[in-house]
Amino acid sequence: MLKDNSVYLPEEAYLSKREFPSIILASLKGISQVIFIENVVSGVIILIAITIASYQLGIIAFLSSMIGTLIGKIGGANEKSVDSGLYGYNSVLTGIALTLFLTGPSQWIIALGGAVIAAIFAAMMVHFMKNSTLPILTFPFIVLTWFMLLVSYRLKVFQLSNTLVPQSLSHWELDIEGEVNWTEGIFNGIGQVFFLDHTLSGVLLFIAVFWAGWRLGLYAVVGNAVALLAAYGLGGEHSLIILGLYGYNAILACMAVATVFSTEDNRFKSISGIAAACLTVPLTASTSTWLLPYGLPALTMPFVLSTWLFLGARKVLPTL
Amino acid sequence: MLKDNSVYLPEEAYLSKREFPSIILASLKGISQVIFIENVVSGVIILIAITIASYQLGIIAFLSSMIGTLIGKIGGANEKSVDSGLYGYNSVLTGIALTLFLTGPSQWIIALGGAVIAAIFAAMMVHFMKNSTLPILTFPFIVLTWFMLLVSYRLKVFQLSNTLVPQSLSHWELDIEGEVNWTEGIFNGIGQVFFLDHTLSGVLLFIAVFWAGWRLGLYAVVGNAVALLAAYGLGGEHSLIILGLYGYNAILACMAVATVFSTEDNRFKSISGIAAACLTVPLTASTSTWLLPYGLPALTMPFVLSTWLFLGARKVLPTL
Amino acid sequence: MLKDNSVYLPEEAYLSKREFPSIILASLKGISQVIFIENVVSGVIILIAITIASYQLGIIAFLSSMIGTLIGKIGGANEKSVDSGLYGYNSVLTGIALTLFLTGPSQWIIALGGAVIAAIFAAMMVHFMKNSTLPILTFPFIVLTWFMLLVSYRLKVFQLSNTLVPQSLSHWELDIEGEVNWTEGIFNGIGQVFFLDHTLSGVLLFIAVFWAGWRLGLYAVVGNAVALLAAYGLGGEHSLIILGLYGYNAILACMAVATVFSTEDNRFKSISGIAAACLTVPLTASTSTWLLPYGLPALTMPFVLSTWLFLGARKVLPTL
């Protein structure tokens, strides 16, 4: 998404042996595109971060990215987009999420099937968002994962993990007790972008981001910090703050609004980025509440909503 | 939607006696447009299929189609669209659904009022979807019917049939026991497009489809078959499979994706059609789960979502 | 929205002392834009109507309008739109709604913060709706307020007023008993546009509308009347009819469809306006039902849905 892609441009349109390396590279970029990076090295570091937390998850992440990339190739998508990994990142997240939130023997097949649909969904969204000239972000992954998890109430083969429990809003009690471990909160924040709550993985993810550019890294750190403070100051549940669940959306929104999708005209882009990061905190709260009766996780919806809000408004309020 | 309409082009723009036959023909085509057919004979066969299952329903279906067509005429819509029955089919489905899911003395009036709004809603959607160049399908009918059924909790005159019961997701138990009667499942599948679970009606509907073209008929049969197998294989409730509730969305999606809205470029259109049919199975499961707390039926939403997914993705992935 | 704005066009693009009066005037127009009026006198009358009902609410309304206008100025929006008050009205409603539905010491700050986001949201919607050429109406206010209220279940600082209680649909009982006080119903209808159920405020609001034009006033009265009758005839809860909760959406929809957004071509615009007003009654019923499990108020969503339905359909059915 950020830089030009000039490594392995295949000479033939059909799939051949000579395209194989280009697919591998595109798949690694697909993993890094989850955090707006088009860079093979960052992709490898992220893949290591995932694999440290869980062997199985690392395999699923890489296979999902390859599936998304292949769908793009076979479907005849714009070659540059496919090679940049833009058909991979929604599949990566869908594959990981379905592996984590489902259980039982068919878990793997469903996760990889989800990766297929995620790539088709991404293509559809590219078409739908064309007129608005806004990026599709991780919207296909979010909506698809919600739908796939709800399937489990009706089809036996889909078995929901017992971490997802539907609750009635009328019996909900907010409990924010407990100490906040700030170090854990910081590294879990970036880890949660890939559903990881493992400190070393968090450290590696920060390295992957800084490798791609210090500016990106800076906004990732800033977005995380303001969100942790905002969540604490507004009285969020301390257990969720420690798990990084108030941080990952803020990191993504801050990077997207302040640097990835900004131009020279956006004079207040740093302020907008910080505001977008802060806004993900109440958005995380309300999205979770809205999904409570269905027992679904908010995923990266707060990031998508906050980012679309600022990027869309910019078309009319250009200084933002 | 499929063929040219060259039968009765009225010479005057206003409603006159000479237009009367054209309105009747457009209304019959409106009934066949529910399954993508623009053909008076198929419309008559379908009307007979509905009337066999219920006298009252046949009258409502025809009157609703006429209402939709009239709204198109009076509103000054594109004449060709009106004469093709494109302002009728959402009204037909709305009229039938409201008659079935409501009860009490005002049931008929509400159903016909719903047919009026369905035609206006269809016009609005045509405008909204213009930029995306995708067909509106049965979206107006679905959303309107959901809204009209929810009204019953607040206005005494709207009386909900006792088949629709809101349930909490936390108390939901999946029970897939029981034998599957495959013959019933097959003919109920197509019958459920018009809310019918009457075997003879199902046979007539298949005849109506084959009359319009063997290719359409073939994909209807294939879509139905793969969905029945997928629903069974994924562990769907056997009672729902027998009722055809996993079949009707698949039939529509398979026809739409594989033939009605496909072009020469779509090399994999048969595969896409079958994939779209399969996808309606988990989509039926998740849509039903999502609507469970409101006690609403999924209607043809799984078909609309699956079809939009593939038709939209095609604009970016042309071989699909 | 209605008339040309030729009062105080600032000569400089940046904020200066000389712009101060133009901001005040734009803020007053922002208050009147809630009911489609661009008129300082009407804005002042409405502000008095609000202040009579509650001192605090009057201050919040004015400050929110100023915040929205300032966001428009600083963001670099189209100057004419800002000076017409089009960046103010969503902020006004958001500020008032959050003050009323939240409680606790941070209530004021949250309300004014909401006004900031409402203006950014309005800008985003202007961009999103550009292709459809439909007005954004009060959509940003509605969705933002719903999100902000749901936050209260997760962040301690947001404290929900105890009037909003989530309820399960399965335990819902409709009770329409009690006498209807028609006079209260009439003046509360227009008052509820600004969340007021104070008869004198209602009288002042009618004066503000008639001051802006007799045609606007006429359709406000007609919309209110047909909705009261429709709500009574369809068996709506009498307590809600008296509170004006079936009236305010109808007033806005009737004004919007019959006059504000109509042209010469729309031959049936009066009938459409009345139909749009009637339609808000079932839409109020179903929106409330849909929101019941979350304990959220319908706000002006029925007005937005009914108005979009008719204005969108008009692009295809021009006589409506």
Side-chain angles (χ1 to χ4, degrees):
Chain A
M1 225 176 282
L2 292 175
K3 292 161 199 166
D4 198 86
N5 159 55
S6 52
V7 196
Y8 270 76
L9 276 177
E11 278 156 3
E12 296 99 61
Y14 51 86
L15 291 173
S16 70
K17 262 189 204 162
R18 293 170 63 193
E19 281 202 45
F20 190 68
S22 99
I23 287 168
I24 298 289
L25 293 178
S27 305
L28 288 168
K29 286 182 191 165
I31 294 171
S32 65
Q33 282 286 10
V34 171
I35 39 179
F36 316 111
I37 298 170
E38 180 188 335
N39 184 309
V40 174
V41 177
S42 296
V44 171
I45 300 175
I46 295 169
L47 193 52
I48 294 169
I50 300 171
T51 313
I52 284 175
S54 154
Y55 204 110
Q56 191 193 11
L57 229 48
I59 296 169
I60 284 282
F62 186 68
L63 287 180
S64 298
S65 194
M66 251 178 86
I67 285 173
T69 303
L70 281 170
I71 293 281
K73 286 256 181 224
I74 297 167
N78 174 289
E79 216 159 73
K80 203 159 164 261
S81 300
V82 178
D83 288 328
S84 314
L86 292 177
Y87 282 91
Y89 72 95
N90 273 292
S91 296
V92 169
L93 290 171
T94 306
I96 296 178
L98 292 179
T99 309
L100 284 175
F101 294 123
L102 292 178
T103 181
S106 311
Q107 181 194 23
W108 280 61
I109 300 162
I110 295 172
L112 298 179
V116 173
I117 304 170
I120 297 172
F121 197 165
M124 186 201 74
M125 282 299 291
V126 166
H127 173 65
F128 261 104
M129 302 286 287
K130 213 176 49 194
N131 278 313
S132 74
T133 67
L134 296 181
I136 65 165
L137 304 175
T138 52
F139 187 83
F141 144 65
I142 301 163
V143 174
L144 177 59
T145 303
W146 285 345
F147 265 85
M148 298 283 273
L149 295 177
L150 287 181
V151 169
S152 58
Y153 292 88
R154 292 290 190 153
L155 298 174
K156 274 272 183 234
V157 167
F158 286 67
Q159 291 176 30
L160 203 61
S161 139
N162 55 15
T163 56
L164 299 176
V165 184
Q167 288 175 69
S168 166
L169 208 55
S170 26
H171 305 123
W172 177 255
E173 289 281 340
L174 180 61
D175 174 16
I176 68 167
E177 294 303 300
E179 283 292 297
V180 174
N181 180 330
W182 293 101
T183 317
E184 280 199 34
I186 287 167
F187 291 105
N188 285 343
I190 193 153
Q192 286 289 357
V193 172
F194 293 90
F195 303 96
L196 313 172
D197 49 6
H198 197 281
T199 308
L200 182 55
S201 300
V203 174
L204 280 171
L205 287 172
F206 270 125
I207 292 172
V209 177
F210 273 100
W211 176 272
W214 66 268
R215 205 185 293 270
L216 265 185
L218 178 70
Y219 282 115
V221 171
V222 168
N224 202 12
V226 296
L228 283 175
L229 293 175
Y232 186 78
L234 292 172
E237 287 159 87
H238 295 175
S239 55
L240 300 185
I241 295 175
I242 297 171
L243 281 168
L245 292 174
Y246 274 113
Y248 67 99
N249 280 293
I251 292 174
L252 293 171
C254 192
M255 289 162 77
V257 173
T259 163
V260 181
F261 301 106
S262 69
T263 67
E264 285 298 300
D265 289 343
N266 313 133
R267 274 200 290 149
F268 301 123
K269 62 185 170 189
S270 299
I271 298 173
S272 296
I274 291 169
C278 288
L279 193 60
T280 61
V281 173
L283 280 171
T284 300
S286 47
T287 307
S288 307
T289 308
W290 175 48
L291 295 168
L292 200 68
Y294 297 102
L296 293 173
L299 303 175
T300 44
M301 195 48 127
F303 146 63
V304 171
L305 294 178
S306 183
T307 304
W308 277 350
L309 181 69
F310 279 88
L311 298 187
R314 248 178 206 168
K315 308 276 176 181
V316 178
L317 306 172
T319 67
L320 280 197
Chain B
M1 226 175 278
L2 293 174
K3 292 161 199 166
D4 199 87
N5 159 55
S6 51
V7 196
Y8 270 77
L9 276 176
E11 278 156 4
E12 294 98 61
Y14 50 87
L15 292 172
S16 68
K17 261 189 204 164
R18 293 168 65 193
E19 281 201 46
F20 191 68
S22 98
I23 288 169
I24 298 288
L25 293 177
S27 305
L28 288 168
K29 288 181 190 165
I31 294 172
S32 65
Q33 282 286 9
V34 171
I35 39 179
F36 315 111
I37 298 170
E38 181 190 331
N39 183 309
V40 174
V41 177
S42 296
V44 170
I45 301 175
I46 296 169
L47 193 53
I48 294 170
I50 300 171
T51 311
I52 284 174
S54 153
Y55 203 111
Q56 191 193 11
L57 230 48
I59 297 170
I60 284 282
F62 186 69
L63 286 180
S64 299
S65 194
M66 251 178 85
I67 286 173
T69 303
L70 281 171
I71 293 280
K73 287 256 180 221
I74 297 168
N78 175 289
E79 214 158 76
K80 203 158 162 262
S81 301
V82 177
D83 287 328
S84 314
L86 291 176
Y87 282 91
Y89 71 96
N90 274 292
S91 297
V92 169
L93 289 171
T94 307
I96 296 178
L98 291 178
T99 308
L100 284 175
F101 294 123
L102 292 178
T103 180
S106 312
Q107 182 195 21
W108 280 61
I109 300 162
I110 295 172
L112 297 179
V116 173
I117 305 169
I120 297 173
F121 196 165
M124 186 200 72
M125 282 298 292
V126 166
H127 173 66
F128 261 103
M129 302 287 286
K130 211 176 50 193
N131 279 314
S132 74
T133 67
L134 296 180
I136 64 166
L137 304 175
T138 52
F139 187 83
F141 144 65
I142 301 163
V143 173
L144 177 60
T145 302
W146 285 346
F147 264 85
M148 297 283 274
L149 295 178
L150 287 181
V151 170
S152 58
Y153 291 89
R154 291 291 191 154
L155 298 175
K156 274 273 184 233
V157 167
F158 286 66
Q159 291 176 31
L160 203 61
S161 138
N162 55 14
T163 55
L164 299 175
V165 184
Q167 287 176 70
S168 167
L169 209 55
S170 24
H171 305 123
W172 176 255
E173 289 281 341
L174 180 59
D175 175 16
I176 68 165
E177 295 303 301
E179 283 292 297
V180 174
N181 180 330
W182 293 100
T183 317
E184 280 199 32
I186 287 166
F187 291 105
N188 286 341
I190 194 154
Q192 285 290 357
V193 173
F194 294 91
F195 303 96
L196 312 174
D197 48 5
H198 197 282
T199 308
L200 181 57
S201 300
V203 174
L204 280 171
L205 287 171
F206 270 124
I207 292 172
V209 177
F210 274 100
W211 176 272
W214 66 269
R215 203 185 293 271
L216 266 185
L218 178 70
Y219 282 115
V221 171
V222 168
N224 201 13
V226 296
L228 283 176
L229 292 174
Y232 187 77
L234 293 171
E237 288 158 85
H238 295 175
S239 54
L240 300 185
I241 295 175
I242 297 171
L243 280 168
L245 291 174
Y246 275 112
Y248 67 99
N249 280 292
I251 292 173
L252 293 171
C254 192
M255 288 163 76
V257 172
T259 162
V260 181
F261 301 106
S262 69
T263 67
E264 284 299 300
D265 289 342
N266 312 134
R267 276 200 288 148
F268 303 121
K269 62 184 170 189
S270 298
I271 299 172
S272 295
I274 290 169
C278 287
L279 193 60
T280 60
V281 173
L283 280 171
T284 300
S286 48
T287 308
S288 306
T289 308
W290 175 49
L291 294 169
L292 200 68
Y294 297 102
L296 294 173
L299 303 175
T300 44
M301 194 50 126
F303 145 63
V304 170
L305 294 177
S306 184
T307 304
W308 277 351
L309 181 70
F310 279 88
L311 298 187
R314 247 177 207 169
K315 308 276 175 181
V316 178
L317 305 173
T319 67
L320 282 196
Chain C
M1 226 174 282
L2 292 174
K3 292 161 197 166
D4 198 87
N5 159 54
S6 52
V7 197
Y8 270 76
L9 277 176
E11 278 155 4
E12 294 98 63
Y14 51 87
L15 291 173
S16 69
K17 261 190 204 163
R18 291 171 65 194
E19 281 202 46
F20 190 68
S22 98
I23 288 168
I24 298 290
L25 292 178
S27 305
L28 288 168
K29 286 181 191 165
I31 294 172
S32 65
Q33 283 286 9
V34 171
I35 37 179
F36 316 111
I37 298 170
E38 181 190 333
N39 184 309
V40 175
V41 177
S42 296
V44 171
I45 300 176
I46 296 168
L47 193 53
I48 294 170
I50 300 171
T51 312
I52 283 175
S54 152
Y55 203 111
Q56 193 192 8
L57 229 49
I59 296 170
I60 285 283
F62 186 69
L63 287 179
S64 298
S65 193
M66 250 177 88
I67 286 173
T69 303
L70 281 170
I71 293 280
K73 288 256 181 221
I74 296 168
N78 175 288
E79 215 158 74
K80 205 160 161 260
S81 300
V82 178
D83 288 327
S84 314
L86 292 177
Y87 282 91
Y89 71 96
N90 274 291
S91 296
V92 168
L93 289 171
T94 307
I96 296 178
L98 292 178
T99 310
L100 285 176
F101 293 123
L102 294 178
T103 178
S106 310
Q107 180 195 23
W108 279 62
I109 300 161
I110 295 171
L112 297 178
V116 172
I117 305 168
I120 297 172
F121 197 165
M124 187 202 72
M125 282 298 292
V126 165
H127 174 65
F128 262 103
M129 302 286 287
K130 212 176 50 195
N131 278 313
S132 74
T133 67
L134 296 182
I136 65 167
L137 304 175
T138 52
F139 187 84
F141 143 67
I142 300 164
V143 173
L144 178 59
T145 302
W146 284 345
F147 265 84
M148 298 284 272
L149 295 178
L150 287 181
V151 169
S152 58
Y153 291 88
R154 291 288 190 155
L155 298 174
K156 273 272 184 235
V157 167
F158 286 67
Q159 291 175 32
L160 203 62
S161 139
N162 56 14
T163 55
L164 299 176
V165 184
Q167 288 176 70
S168 166
L169 209 55
S170 25
H171 306 125
W172 176 256
E173 289 281 340
L174 181 60
D175 174 17
I176 68 165
E177 295 303 299
E179 283 292 298
V180 174
N181 179 329
W182 293 101
T183 317
E184 279 198 34
I186 288 167
F187 290 106
N188 285 343
I190 194 155
Q192 285 290 357
V193 172
F194 293 90
F195 303 95
L196 312 173
D197 49 6
H198 196 283
T199 308
L200 182 55
S201 300
V203 174
L204 280 171
L205 287 171
F206 271 124
I207 292 172
V209 177
F210 274 101
W211 175 272
W214 66 268
R215 203 184 294 268
L216 267 185
L218 179 69
Y219 282 115
V221 170
V222 169
N224 201 13
V226 297
L228 283 175
L229 293 175
Y232 187 76
L234 292 171
E237 288 158 87
H238 295 175
S239 55
L240 300 185
I241 295 175
I242 297 171
L243 281 168
L245 292 174
Y246 274 113
Y248 68 101
N249 280 292
I251 292 173
L252 293 171
C254 192
M255 288 162 77
V257 173
T259 160
V260 181
F261 301 106
S262 69
T263 67
E264 283 299 300
D265 289 342
N266 312 132
R267 274 200 288 149
F268 303 123
K269 63 185 172 189
S270 299
I271 298 172
S272 295
I274 290 169
C278 287
L279 193 60
T280 62
V281 172
L283 279 171
T284 300
S286 48
T287 308
S288 307
T289 308
W290 176 48
L291 295 169
L292 200 69
Y294 297 102
L296 294 173
L299 302 175
T300 44
M301 195 48 125
F303 145 63
V304 170
L305 295 177
S306 182
T307 304
W308 277 350
L309 180 70
F310 279 88
L311 298 187
R314 248 178 206 168
K315 308 277 176 180
V316 179
L317 305 173
T319 66
L320 281 197

